[in-house]
Every structure is written in C-alpha cells, then in structure tokens.
C-alpha cells in the first residue's frame, strides 16, 4: 500500500440530504488538502445511481457493489478473508479507509429491525483495522446502543479507528463510553456544501419540510410500510407531522411578515405526507399562497438555492436544517419522538438549542411563535454563521491531522470484531426467519 483514500460507502437514496453527505464529504476532503481516489457505493439503480455518482465530483473513480455481493454469504466470506474485500473492488493498494457511516452506527434492541446495510457499513472499517489500514470515521451519529452484542461490535469498530468524530455532542458522549477516551463533536460533512449562487432575499417567504413519524431507517422497513399505509388510509389525519404542518401554515399565514409558504418534500418518502398537507390547505379561504416543491431529485446545490430563497425554514429533517443553515437561511428543527437525538444534537453543536421545538409542542401557539421569533433575530443568525465558519475550520484540521498521523496497529481487535459481525449476521437472519 502506498497511500490513497477510499470512501465507504457513498450515500445514494431518494433523498437530497443523503446525496448532500457525498458532496460534503468530497468538499471536506478537498478542504483538508486531500484527494478522494475511489468512492464505493451500495447497490443502486437508475436515477439513484446517477445522483450518487454525480454527487462525488472529487472521486477519481466510483464503484458500485452489486446486491448479490452484499449478501450475508459474501459478508461471511469477507469476515474470513478481509483483504479480499479491498482486492475485489480494486482498492487493495489504498491505505486509508474513510467510513462514511451517517446514522448507521447504533444498536437497536431487536436485531430483526437492523437494516442489512448497517452490518455492511461496519464491515469495511473492521476489515481496514484487521488488515493494517488507516481507518477514519467521518463525523457520524452514534447510538443509542440497546442490543449488547451489537453494541460490542460497534464499540470494537470505534476503538479500532485511527480517528473518529461525532456530528453532535450526544453522539460524542455515546461513542466515548465505548471508546473510553474523548471524541470531538464536529460538523456533519454536508455543512461543507456551499451555495454556488446567492439568490435574492426571501422577501417574506417561509418554508416547511416534514417527515412522517415512525418511518425510516431506525423504524425498520416493515414498521415503516405499516405506518405509511395506516396514515395514508386515514388521509394522514392521524399523523402528528401532518397536523403540525397544518398548524405551522396557519400560524405563518396569520403573520403579516410572511408573503408565501412553501411545502418542501426532501425525500420521496415525504411526498405523500406533504402532498396530503397541500391538498388539505387548498380548501382554506386564506389567500396567502402555499406552494409545493418536490426536492428529492434536486442536487444539493439546487436544494440550497431553493432554501436560500426563503427567510426561514421549519423542518423535522436533519439535512434540511444542515443545507438551509449552510446556505445562510435560519432553520428551526422539530425533533420527532422516537427518531433519535440527531436534531437536538445538531443544534447543540451550533450553539442554538433555542432553534428547536419538539414536534408535539407545535400546537402550543406561544412556543411556536417564540421559535419563529428566535429564527428572525439577525444577531443570532450572524452568531451561527460565525460559529459555522469556525467549526468548518476545526473539522478540516481534524481530518488533515488524521490523514497524516501514523496508522495504529488494530489488527487483532479488527479480526475479533469481524468474527463477532458474523455471529450478529447469523443471529439477525435467525430472528428474521422466526418472525
């Protein structure tokens, strides 16, 4: 091995936020004075594959793993022969593995709910440790850790890393408990996506982007499908996110500073919810315009241009907040119950916990008005921008130092942890067969 960097894995779903993670990771590397040689992508097709490839402009080459290659049998093969993983994908000559984990490093109580990609997102990191490569875990979400066996493997991964950072303080504390030494809370890579143009001021335009509660990676595919079907059957009237959207719009419509409201669907899974909200609002006698934008196929830069054309955003989407704030638009975060600590943790890193409001308090008019007022404070927005510039510098410096530090010998730990991954994969398969 003679240097070089591979990134595992590029994100690529029907979600402009995930694509922004790719563009941001490439920009973060560039800001650290490094070049991305190869980006490895999970199985993707059609427009999703094109979006993922286009979002990694800094990569010399992108390589996609096939669905067959990411089977349990293949995982078990690479556990036994970790060097094959790098050789089979043409990166055996590269010495640094960047683990682009996002929110996959957690341990749910029920193994059956673990997304298949979650084990695969750990595999390259442990294989790097087991074969003497440098392992850097980019700023990620960690925890919660409920299943002891799974948590033990994540802990081995965290301890095997030459460098590791969290993207919020709550995650840093969760990872520190497993690594047993301090971990920095730095910026999510998507904060390194910068607007390519400077749109005109929002002129009173406000935006809302909501996700469906009880739906997504951590809920698991079966629960997500069930939740979506139940809410669709009820016209989404049973959804907290749906009702919160209507409450938000009515409050904004009553605000003389607001000239229009835009409903934004950040992901394809958000489309039914936001379309239902738009339809429900169409019958209102209030003349204030309510527009709708399907943003899930936008590039990160296009999404930022859209958000920068508004005076504020209120969202339950993590990367909706990130892209808006990076573009200079104040964003209020609405954490959903059961969706982890990403959003509260993000605003703690930015030093603005007051820019959040739990979604179940949206029907409290005073609390919601207070959030909107805080988003409009010019001094507060300027302070966030200054903190963001400082945090970008700290994140770039952390990665630059990590890329030049000596490689830690974690081969034994990596090999033991790989065997534990095999046991987890087999236990997950057994749990699925029982269920």
């Amino acid at each position: 091995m003679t240097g070089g960097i591979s990134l595992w894995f590029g994100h690529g779903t029907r979600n402009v936020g995930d694509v922004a993670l790719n563009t941001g990771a490439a920009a973060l590397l560039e800001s650290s004075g490094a070049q991305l040689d190869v980006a490895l992508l999970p199985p993707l097709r059609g427009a999703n594959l094109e979006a993922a490839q286009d979002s990694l402009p800094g990569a010399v080459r992108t390589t996609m793993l096939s669905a067959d290659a990411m089977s349990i049998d293949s995982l078990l093969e690479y556990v036994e022969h970790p060097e094959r993983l790098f050789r089979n994908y043409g990166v055996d000559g590269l010495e640094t593995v960047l683990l682009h984990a996002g929110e996959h490093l957690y341990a749910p109580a029920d193994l059956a709910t673990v997304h298949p990609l979650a084990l695969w997102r750990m595999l390259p990191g442990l294989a790097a440790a087991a074969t003497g490569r440098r392992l850097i875990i980019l700023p990620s979400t960690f925890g919660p850790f409920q299943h002891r066996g799974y948590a033990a493997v994540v802990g081995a991964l965290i301890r095997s890393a030459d460098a590791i950072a969290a993207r919020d303080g709550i995650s840093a504390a969760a990872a520190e408990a497993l690594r047993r030494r301090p971990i920095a809370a730095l910026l999510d890579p998507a904060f390194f996506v910068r607007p390519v143009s400077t749109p005109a001021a929002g002129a009173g335009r406000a935006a809302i982007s909501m996700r469906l509660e009880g739906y997504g990676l951590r809920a698991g595919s079966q629960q997500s499908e069930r939740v979506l079907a139940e809410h669709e059957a009820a016209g989404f009237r049973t959804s907290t996110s749906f009702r919160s959207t209507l409450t938000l719009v009515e409050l904004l419509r009553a605000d003389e500073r607001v000239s229009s409201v835009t409903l934004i669907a950040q992901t394809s899974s958000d489309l039914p919810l936001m379309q239902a909200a738009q339809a429900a609002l169409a019958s209102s006698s209030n003349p204030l315009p309510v527009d709708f934008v399907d943003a899930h196929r936008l590039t990160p830069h296009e999404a930022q241009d859209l958000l920068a054309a508004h005076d504020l955003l209120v969202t339950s989407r993590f990367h909706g907040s990130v892209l808006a704030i990076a573009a200079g638009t104040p964003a209020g975060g609405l954490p959903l119950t059961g969706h982890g600590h990403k959003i509260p943790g993000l605003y703690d890193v930015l030093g603005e916990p007051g820019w959040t409001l739990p979604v179940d308090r949206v029907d409290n008019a005073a609390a919601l008005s207070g959030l909107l007022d805080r988003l409009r404070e010019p001094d507060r927005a300027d302070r966030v921008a200054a903190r963001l510039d400082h945090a970008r510098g700290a994140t770039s410096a952390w990665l630059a130092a990590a890329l030049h530090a000596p490689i830690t010998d974690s081969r034994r730990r990596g090999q033991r942890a790989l065997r534990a991954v095999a046991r987890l994969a087999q236990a997950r398969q057994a749990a699925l067969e029982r269920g």
Side-chain angles (χ1 to χ4, degrees):
M1 294 180 285
T2 57
I5 301 169
S6 61
L7 180 142
W8 301 70
F9 291 95
H11 294 259
T13 66
R14 295 162 290 183
N15 179 349
V16 65
D18 281 352
V19 176
L21 270 170
N22 296 342
T23 303
L28 169 57
L29 264 174
E30 183 179 351
S31 75
S32 305
Q35 164 75 48
L36 177 60
D37 294 284
V38 182
L40 285 298
L41 302 175
L44 300 167
R45 290 184 296 178
N48 289 334
L49 175 59
E50 293 175 11
Q53 290 172 326
D54 291 345
S55 69
L56 288 158
V60 173
R61 173 166 61 89
T62 59
T63 298
M64 187 186 76
L65 280 68
S66 69
D68 289 341
M70 297 189 77
S71 66
I72 291 297
D73 288 343
S74 293
L75 184 144
L76 296 177
E77 176 192 352
Y78 292 136
V79 161
E80 289 297 320
H81 307 283
E83 185 62 40
R84 285 184 189 173
L85 176 67
F86 303 110
R87 186 168 62 248
N88 286 354
Y89 292 97
V91 295
D92 47 316
L94 305 182
E95 74 174 4
T96 298
V97 167
L98 290 186
L99 197 63
H100 198 26
E103 63 171 315
H104 286 78
L105 296 179
Y106 68 105
D110 183 2
L111 276 180
T113 66
V114 174
H115 193 284
L117 271 178
L119 293 173
W120 270 89
R121 285 199 181 274
M122 289 194 288
L123 177 66
L126 292 172
T131 56
R133 288 174 168 81
R134 178 184 289 108
L135 169 60
I136 299 173
I137 302 179
L138 293 178
S140 304
T141 296
F142 299 99
F145 300 114
Q146 297 171 292
H147 188 282
R148 289 184 62 186
Y150 201 110
V153 176
V154 177
L157 173 68
I158 288 171
R159 290 190 295 276
S160 298
D162 294 273
I164 176 174
R167 59 185 184 182
D168 66 84
I170 301 171
S171 288
E176 283 173 5
L178 297 176
R179 188 170 172 87
R180 307 185 190 108
R181 50 184 173 162
I183 290 175
L186 299 172
L187 288 182
D188 179 86
F191 272 115
F192 286 80
V193 179
R194 307 297 289 271
V196 293
S197 60
T198 306
R205 299 176 69 195
I208 300 170
S209 178
M210 298 291 286
R211 65 177 297 167
L212 188 63
E213 69 275 13
Y215 184 101
L217 172 72
R218 292 174 183 248
S221 57
Q222 291 183 344
Q223 179 182 317
S224 295
E225 290 169 6
R226 182 174 65 253
V227 164
L228 177 59
E230 289 172 355
H231 287 311
E232 281 187 320
F236 287 94
R237 292 184 299 276
T238 52
S239 164
T240 300
S241 294
F242 174 81
R243 295 193 301 271
S244 298
T245 300
L246 301 190
T247 300
L248 271 165
V249 170
E250 292 310 318
L251 182 65
L252 290 167
R253 278 175 156 177
D255 189 330
E256 63 183 11
R257 294 167 293 185
V258 177
S259 61
S260 68
V261 178
T262 305
L263 301 182
I264 299 174
Q266 179 183 305
T267 80
S268 60
S269 60
D270 297 343
L271 276 171
L273 169 68
M274 301 307 286
Q275 288 171 332
Q278 183 194 31
L281 292 162
S283 60
S284 171
S285 59
N286 192 308
L288 194 75
V290 177
D291 303 315
F292 177 82
V293 176
D294 175 5
H296 86 275
R297 288 295 187 206
L298 298 182
T299 68
H301 294 299
E302 290 169 341
Q304 280 194 320
D305 285 349
L306 168 66
L307 294 167
H310 292 78
D311 287 342
L312 61 86
L313 168 72
V314 181
T315 181
S316 57
R317 280 283 175 188
F318 180 88
H319 280 109
S321 292
V322 169
L323 288 172
I325 293 169
T329 298
L334 303 180
L336 288 164
T337 302
H339 282 256
H341 51 258
K342 288 192 303 181
I343 288 181
L346 166 65
Y347 284 90
D348 282 343
V349 165
L350 296 174
E352 289 297 340
W355 275 9
T356 66
L357 181 71
V359 75
D360 55 11
R361 294 194 64 206
V362 165
D363 57 358
N364 183 318
L368 184 55
S369 295
L371 171 65
L372 297 176
D373 288 343
R374 290 190 292 275
L375 292 175
R376 290 186 170 106
E377 293 176 12
D379 290 346
R380 192 180 291 243
D382 290 343
R383 289 198 299 271
V384 170
R387 290 189 199 112
L388 195 53
D389 283 342
H390 180 269
R392 283 195 184 100
T395 307
S396 295
W398 164 81
L399 182 55
L403 288 167
H404 291 93
I407 298 175
T408 304
D409 187 352
S410 298
R411 283 174 288 187
R412 283 190 174 183
R413 178 182 290 132
Q415 290 159 4
R416 288 196 302 269
L418 283 173
R419 291 192 289 271
V421 166
R423 292 193 293 272
L424 277 178
Q426 291 161 341
R428 177 185 177 275
Q429 193 66 29
L432 289 172
E433 290 170 359
R434 288 194 302 270

